[in-house]
Amino acid sequence: MRSSASPRSTSRRGSSTDERNARHGRSRGADAVDGLWLALALLAGVYLVAVIEEWSATGRVRPAVPLLAGLATLGRESLVPRRSDRILFEAAAPLLLGAALLAAAVLPLAPGLIVADLATGALFINAALVYVVVALVMAGWGPDAAYAMVGGWRFLGQLVAYGMLIVMPLTAVAMRAASLSTTAIVASQAALPNALAQPLGFVLFWLAALAVCFLPPFDLPTAPGELAGGVFGEYTGARLATMRLARLALILTLAAAIAVFYLGGWLGPVLPPWAWTAAKTLAVAAALLGLGRFVPRLRGEQLLAWGWQFGIPLALVNIFWVGVTLLLV
Amino acid sequence: MTGQLIAVAFFGLAAIGFGAGVFLTRSMVRSALALLAAMAALGGLFLALEAEFLGVLQLMMMGTEMTLMAIFMVMFMMDPGGLGQMEMTHQKRTARAAGRSGAWPRPGWRSGPGGGGGPALHQRPSCRIAPWGWRSWSA
């Protein structure tokens, strides 16, 4: 693994890939190798998140279970409900997967090891995560089923609660880095990770990340024990497998986002950069999946009230705090 | 350059196609999501034109707005799924008359300041802007 090759400058904006490669003396072959590593990292990450999810639910580490469960789900019949809105029903799972992968594309695994190093990376991840909501609303409306529809619209309400808590903590992160580029954001945490520099924003973004992945206690759209499966309720067979894969990719993406924006990404002693990113991402994923299970599920109106009455004022306090520390320190 | 041209053409045509889809469906959710797809295609168009910030902003804002609009359309429409075969258009005679009045060639159009191409929009008799708003169809 290229651990220390081509540390990229953080001030570059909007240059094309070819220019970038020419500047860093990199060939298309090197890009292909990078792409292979990134794809492998994604697959391994999703698989490990599936193992962690199994551990968080049952308390046992069984590495073969995701593979076997996935094969079993693929082997089952994939039903299409009567009078379903076929386009929305079919498009929901690929859209959810696409949104998660697009969001992951702007997160660096190591210096230079990133799919798209956009100048607007921290904004782009918001844009990609919005389509998670679109996908769930489609999955809710598509199958012409009451529980699924309730789940889909619930998640739309959940978006109104958590939406600002994704954007506003990231604003403070971008303020410290003086850039929206995700590599610049990691580089800005060399002295102190953002989790310590802006703990309030860290907590708020953590909660919002839980809400984006609809993990407990914010699992309103699926609501096990209450909604008969919710938005996933009408999906079976290969379609359900795609949906679950997309959900795992989403959890992995949000865990990587927390690692990049708040825990210093690839920065760390001794180990190579990619190993730090991987370790932090998996630790965050385990915490995301594990901790929420001890908290009761919030109702939609509680979520909205807390999001707007406490979350947004606290996010403003966080921005103010970061601004003051940037001016004074 | 050619790649950029193809991308611009692709996203432009996709935007037009989805934009037409908004009016061709009876389902409110499909209509709202078709509008979202048209707006997202415009975001892709901005990205293809190397206006990165505009493109990402368009993708982010329209995703939320159009999905929220979908639930309002479902709430306020009597046949949100489009399965009841309810007629969703209205005032057809007025709309037809308005369309004809706007499209009808009028004497004096060719002699406008633009030369052969006809007068600019604000100089058309049917769309003249009066101080109190649009004075249409009467001139």
Side-chain angles (χ1 to χ4, degrees), chain A residues 48-315:
Chain A
L48 287 173
V49 169
V51 173
I52 293 171
E53 190 184 34
E54 168 76 13
W55 161 79
S56 75
T58 62
R60 283 184 291 175
V61 179
R62 294 183 294 181
V65 163
L67 185 66
L68 298 177
L71 287 176
T73 315
L74 279 176
R76 286 187 195 121
E77 190 182 5
S78 193
L79 299 168
V80 178
R82 262 190 316 157
R83 302 199 82 179
S84 57
D85 191 326
R86 194 69 190 267
I87 297 176
L88 303 190
F89 182 71
E90 301 284 5
L95 182 63
L96 187 60
L97 188 59
L101 296 186
L102 278 177
V106 294
L107 296 171
L109 197 55
L113 197 59
I114 180 172
V115 178
D117 189 6
L118 296 180
T120 53
L123 190 68
F124 183 85
I125 196 168
N126 288 313
L129 290 179
V130 162
Y131 290 83
V132 171
V133 184
V134 179
L136 284 205
V137 166
M138 283 161 77
W141 182 263
D144 187 30
Y147 287 129
M149 192 182 72
V150 171
W153 293 134
R154 267 188 187 184
F155 193 59
L156 192 59
Q158 188 162 319
L159 163 86
V160 176
Y162 77 70
M164 297 309 289
L165 299 185
I166 287 278
V167 183
M168 291 170 76
L170 282 190
T171 309
V173 167
M175 277 164 68
R176 184 164 179 226
S179 169
L180 283 169
S181 157
T182 45
T183 44
I185 286 171
V186 173
S188 76
Q189 300 174 64
L192 189 67
N194 278 334
L196 299 176
Q198 23 189 298
L200 195 54
F202 176 59
V203 172
L204 291 173
F205 189 80
W206 182 284
L207 294 174
L210 274 176
V212 177
C213 305
F214 46 105
L215 286 169
F218 306 123
D219 54 347
L220 286 173
T222 48
E226 180 192 344
L227 265 192
V231 281
F232 290 174
E234 301 298 319
Y235 283 87
T236 42
R239 294 185 181 88
L240 181 63
T242 317
M243 215 45 150
R244 287 199 178 145
L245 180 70
R247 169 80 171 297
L248 292 170
L250 185 65
I251 296 171
L252 178 73
T253 300
L254 264 298
I258 291 176
V260 163
F261 291 134
Y262 285 97
L263 300 177
W266 69 70
L267 301 170
V270 186
L271 292 177
W274 62 269
W276 274 112
T277 312
K280 287 172 185 174
T281 303
L282 290 176
V284 171
L288 279 175
L289 285 163
L291 293 180
R293 294 185 178 270
F294 301 104
V295 186
R297 183 181 305 137
L298 289 175
R299 291 199 310 271
E301 74 271 21
Q302 289 171 330
L303 194 58
L304 277 166
W306 290 13
W308 283 79
Q309 290 176 354
F310 302 112
I312 290 177
L314 286 176

Side-chain angles (χ1 to χ4, degrees), chain A residues 156, chain B residues 31-32 35 64-74:
Chain A
L156 192 59
Chain B
S31 180
L35 189 55
T64 322
E65 284 171 17
M66 296 303 153
T67 320
L68 283 174
M69 193 181 74
I71 197 171
F72 281 94
M73 285 163 72
V74 167

Side-chain angles (χ1 to χ4, degrees), chain B residues 4-16 37-52 54-56 58-59:
Chain B
Q4 191 183 19
L5 206 62
I6 292 172
V8 167
F10 173 77
F11 285 119
L13 291 175
I16 294 171
M39 292 298 171
L42 284 183
L45 189 68
F46 283 136
L47 288 179
L49 292 170
E50 295 179 24
E52 188 183 315
L54 270 184
V56 174
Q58 170 93 357
L59 284 173

